[in-house]
Amino acid sequence: MSSSVPDRAIASVTNALNVVLEKLAQHPVGEAYSRLSPKSRVALSLSSAVVAIFVSYYLRRVKRKRKRKYITNLEAVGKPLGQQLPEYDVIIAGGGTSGCVLAARLTENPNIRVLLLESGGSGRAIPESRIPSTHSKLYKTAKHVHQFYTERQTAANGVKKLWPRARMLGGCTFVLQLKAQYGAPGDFDEWATIISDDSWSFKNLSHYFRKFESYRPHPDHPKVDRAAHGLTGPVQTGFNNTVSRWCYNFVKACVSVGIRETNDFNGPQGTLGAARVMTYISDKYERVSSESAYLTPEVLARPNLKVAINATVTRIMTYELEAKQYRAAGVEFATTLTGPRYVALAKKDVIVSAGAVQSPHILLLSGIGPAAHLEEHGISVIRDLPGVGSHLVDHPILDMHFEQKGKADSYGYMFPKNFGDFVRLTRAVFQYYVLGTGGPLAMNFAEAAAFVRTDDPTLFPPSEYAERLVDSTSANDSPDLEFFETPVAYKDHASVLFNNHHTVGLHVYLLRPTSFGNILLKSSNPFEYPLVDPLYLSTRDDRIKLVRGLRLGLRIAHSEPLNSLLNNASKDPQFDHQLHLKTNEELEDVVRERVETVYHPTSTCRMAPLEQGGVVDTQLKVYGVKNLRVCDASVFPEIISGHTAGACFAVAEKLADMMKAEYQ
């Protein structure tokens, strides 16, 4: 923030406010606050916080940015069947991570008319989605996040698991932890081998990572190789997030157990190692999403782009060219089950970009998928394509919970429980909105990470880990486990915290599972969620690798400097300080109990040869249906060894280039 008279005035007010707040926390009014009923305390805290947020918001933004305007009247972009139907060159079904990229890049050519349809609203319009630290508040809000639940997971104690998926423009870039890590180079070389197309290898696809990226160097990280990063793309990356002392202490503890320290998980040295994580947080301390990066006011002003929200695609319209040969003609869409259905036509292509759950769902509703399954639900078979909805794979995660000694660097106040917490949170809100200097609200919580292999003899000595497990990694230098720390411990998608304790969380997840599930129809009703069954832990290898992950995570927690900072003498059963004393069989029970999604489902419309269960070819065209493509994480031939958003950006950037070249 530039220095000016108003800025200095605000800073002076802030300093005075901090003094007042410190005194207020110790004042008798604080005691009076503590005597209020829990409901009264919550009401007072929330109402005061709301006032503080809105007042500071308007102080901070005297010059308002232009609002992004989207179409809400669906009759403006489609018409009921029987009327004159509007025509576009390309219709994109789904405005998530990849859909926004495609809409922006394709319309760079003024001769390509694009309609983008999104079932939710604007992600950027939701305050919780812009602030880096508040994304978890959206996980259980049905208005903005699809509340999918898995089928009962037989190998995970027969429990149904919540699978939240974003329902907004920008997709899951608005609800994830903002880690800008793109997988391992070997992942993309494996893709190229599977599909027999070298353009998908890392040496070629890495061009598109650099194309979307705008890396901002940081003085604390001078060893990051700028040549490995894009500097002018629309998606800002870097180290703009606020981190706690737990970030670098976690890295040091990883080094203590034998994990090498690295500088950049996306750099030339590869993925393995421990480091602070680069993030999708701008130098304005806001979340960078696909919507904010690509659907800028300038892009939305293009006359050849229309973006409609609250528009659920109910099916792809096809017509028969000749016997059993079909072409995608357009899409049908609606706001509600009982509301009017609208249709728009696509002159060149329909692109399904609704994510690994809903992209196969749309194809199945449109008669594209396993014939027997479609007939079971009374859907006419357009194309018998067994791979649709199969090969579902996700990164299963386990959370570990620890109590810290003291409260010197506790961030539990971000979820206020008492008057003191409210005071500290109010200060953080003022710092973020008024001063614009980031502060605690600019935390993404997942601050540092470590990537390792379960067959690393340094970390898992053969004398202790004699069982040979299937090597599911993509290359010899690709990982199969990721660890990360958070300065607050949590359960159940951050909806369950440890009240009255100052905590730290460690987390481990399996990057290359050998368990595969599927997406299937429950009915032909497009507004009924599909059946989601990831079949977590259905192979022994997955369970044993996660047991190894727990073992190593507990060693990290008991290594310096974390050992001196955590209350490792605690025998409180809600924490994991004594978990290392359990047997492997007992730890396997912990794995079954705790396994959750880390929000990375992929590969349900795989880019692979047809005979290997593929759904799309190297041009992301659906086999056997002309003018129909899929572009999102569902096309990944195999799941990547890291975070999926970057690969979704890159895949969409590549497809946009291919389509523009094809249309010329």
Side-chain angles (χ1 to χ4, degrees), residues 190-207:
E190 181 185 48
W191 286 14
T193 299
I194 290 171
I195 200 63
S196 300
D197 184 342
D198 196 53
S199 72
W200 291 95
S201 67
F202 182 73
K203 67 180 180 183
N204 293 315
L205 192 61
S206 59
H207 161 73

Side-chain angles (χ1 to χ4, degrees), residues 34-48:
S34 65
R35 289 196 296 270
L36 293 174
S37 69
K39 287 185 178 180
S40 298
R41 290 201 301 268
V42 169
L44 178 60
S45 297
L46 287 178
S47 60
S48 302

Side-chain angles (χ1 to χ4, degrees), residues 593-631:
E593 176 189 354
R594 296 190 186 181
V595 66
E596 294 280 4
T597 179
V598 78
Y599 324 113
H600 293 166
T602 73
S603 308
T604 49
C605 298
R606 295 178 71 212
M607 177 172 55
L610 181 60
E611 61 275 13
Q612 295 179 22
V615 175
V616 299
D617 63 13
T618 60
Q619 304 289 307
L620 305 189
K621 296 179 178 180
V622 175
Y623 288 117
V625 183
K626 292 182 180 295
N627 301 82
L628 178 61
R629 306 188 199 232
V630 181
C631 182

